[in-house]
């Protein structure tokens, strides 16, 4: 049991040591400091993905934005 | 009857705020899976750089933004190092169109032409030479709009036409169109704003008197300071003070020769030159209330239009010969008003003693 816990802890630490890409750090920081800016950049990324022909973005959009009232 | 029978004309259901945030997270997850780290980093960096100039988009998109605020935003933009003046293509177009609408004309034909030939720095150059009520929202008027369009088109054409390479547009300064309203309020002349509805014969009879009332009135300090700055820039070059009203040079109403333009020799001490320039400005203002333009407006159903008069002050291009100044391209017309875009065409200039 103790071993399993330790392994799990070590695993998480190892995972945490994998450096995040720079853009990801920036986006995380912006979520904390300027969420409106992340939304603007997210919208630009959405359009960019469409322009690059990434079909999955259309599916994500359809899934999230047209699934009906959640509030 | 099925529940979704009328779905097409029902408002879209709202999804909650958290779901929208999750959606953005999903977008980035898709990007992470589909694009390289370098590509995402590059795009995010580009979009973040656009944010540095967002203040200009916000300012330009404010309808009727005061002159001082938009001038300040443009100056701030121009003071950025060139490498940091990043605007997304759509924002750059949006700013150009918003500024054309704010200062020149709302006419779509005009906007469609001008937006292809201007850059944001062109506006900064014009507004660096414009003054008027700083909290006001005046425009630069019809004549200035025509000149701006011609200047930008010709500037672009220079690359392909050798004959245009040496073309130079005379140095110009502008008083915004709401300057006349400020002048009217400053001198408690508000009753004149409805003089256009007076009987034409009465109007004709009293105009000489009204003109003198104007000439004995004072321009507000803000405008006098602007004129002083303009004189420092012009030096002692002869000037022409030209009307540039909102109605002037618009489709179907050229107002050719209706409003006044005046030659100013611009000689003497700074105080004398300033007084002469101010007097010419005031007399152009007086021409808004003159019988001829009012009659012209009445005939065309334009009387109820809220007319404002911007002023275009231009250096006269020509040569001094002894006590006389000869414009480079004198034109011929009788009303003392030039409508061909060249200040040297006022007939009275050819023999104006300096």
């Amino acid at each position: 049991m103790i071993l399993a816990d330790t392994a799990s802890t070590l695993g998480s630490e190892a995972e945490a040591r994998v450096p995040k890409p720079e853009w990801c750090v920036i986006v995380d920081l912006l979520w904390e400091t300027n969420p409106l800016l992340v939304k603007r950049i997210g919208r630009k990324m959405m359009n960019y993905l469409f322009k690059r022909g990434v079909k999955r973005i259309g599916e994500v959009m359809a899934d999230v934005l047209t699934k009906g009232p959640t509030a | 009857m099925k529940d979704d029978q009328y779905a097409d004309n029902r408002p879209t259901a709202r999804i909650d705020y958290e779901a929208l945030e999750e959606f953005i997270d999903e977008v980035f997850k898709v990007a992470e899976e589909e694009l390289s780290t370098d590509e995402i980093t590059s795009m995010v960096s580009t979009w973040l750089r656009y944010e540095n100039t967002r203040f200009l988009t916000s300012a330009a998109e404010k309808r009727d933004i005061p002159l001082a605020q938009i001038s300040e935003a443009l100056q701030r933009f121009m003071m950025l190092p060139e490498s940091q003046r990043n605007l997304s293509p759509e924002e750059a177009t949006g700013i150009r169109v918003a500024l054309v609408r704010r200062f020149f004309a709302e006419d779509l034909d005009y906007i469609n032409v001008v937006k292809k030939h201007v850059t944001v720095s062109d506006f900064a150059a014009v507004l660096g030479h414009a003054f008027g009520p700083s909290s006001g929202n005046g425009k630069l008027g019809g004549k200035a709009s025509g000149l701006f369009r011609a200047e930008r088109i010709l500037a672009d054409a220079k690359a392909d036409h050798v004959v245009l390479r040496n073309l130079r547009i005379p140095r110009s300064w502008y008083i915004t169109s709401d300057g006349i309203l400020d002048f009217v309020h400053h001198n408690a002349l508000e009753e004149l704003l409805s003089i256009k509805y007076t009987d034409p014969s009465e109007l004709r009879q009293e105009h000489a008197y009204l003109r003198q009332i104007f000439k004995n009135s004072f321009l507000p300090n803000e405008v006098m300071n602007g004129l002083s700055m303009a004189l420092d820039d012009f030096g002692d070059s002869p000037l022409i003070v030209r009307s540039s009203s909102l109605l002037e040079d618009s489709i179907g109403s050229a107002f050719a020769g209706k409003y006044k333009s005046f030659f100013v020799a611009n000689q003497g001490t700074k105080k004398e030159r300033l007084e002469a320039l101010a007097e010419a400005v005031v007399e152009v203002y007086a021409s808004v209330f003159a019988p001829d333009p009012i009659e012209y407006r009445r005939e065309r159903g334009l009387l109820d239009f809220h007319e404002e008069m911007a002023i275009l002050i231009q250096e006269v291009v020509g040569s001094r010969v002894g006590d006389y100044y000869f414009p480079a391209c004198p034109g011929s017309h009788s009303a003392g008003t030039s409508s061909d875009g060249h200040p040297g065409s006022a007939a009275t200039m050819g023999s104006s003693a300096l």
Side-chain angles (χ1 to χ4, degrees), chain B residues 17-155:
Chain B
Y17 196 76
E18 284 74 24
L20 279 179
E21 291 188 343
E22 280 166 24
F23 170 67
I24 296 297
D25 274 337
E26 280 298 312
V27 169
F28 282 114
K29 272 184 203 154
V30 174
E32 194 171 13
E33 286 163 21
E34 301 282 344
L35 308 176
S36 71
T37 300
D38 283 351
E39 190 174 3
I40 303 174
T41 305
S42 161
M43 294 318 296
V44 170
S45 306
T46 303
W47 297 327
L48 284 175
R49 277 201 300 274
Y50 290 158
E51 291 297 316
N52 290 338
T53 53
R54 194 167 174 76
F55 67 89
L56 184 59
T57 311
S58 307
E61 292 295 347
K62 272 184 206 155
R63 194 175 166 79
D64 294 336
I65 182 170
L67 177 66
Q69 278 183 34
I70 187 66
S71 297
E72 194 185 312
L74 276 165
Q75 269 175 17
R76 192 176 147 197
F77 178 79
M78 294 308 292
M79 281 170 77
L80 290 172
E82 209 165 336
S83 60
Q84 288 177 32
R85 285 184 220 151
N86 300 294
L87 292 167
S88 68
E90 59 275 11
E91 276 183 322
T93 306
I95 290 170
R96 291 200 305 270
V97 170
L99 290 176
V100 170
R101 221 173 21 225
R102 165 67 181 79
F103 287 102
F104 293 105
E106 306 222 2
D107 171 56
L108 288 178
D109 289 337
Y110 180 87
I111 292 172
N112 279 328
V113 171
V114 173
K115 73 176 181 188
K116 294 178 199 148
H117 296 277
V118 294
T119 61
V120 172
S121 59
D122 294 329
F123 290 100
V126 168
L127 294 188
H129 288 80
F131 57 93
S134 56
S135 57
N137 50 21
K139 294 180 189 290
L140 299 182
K143 202 171 281 169
S145 303
L147 187 75
F148 183 67
R149 173 172 53 189
E151 185 181 353
R152 296 327 313 158
I153 291 173
L154 288 170

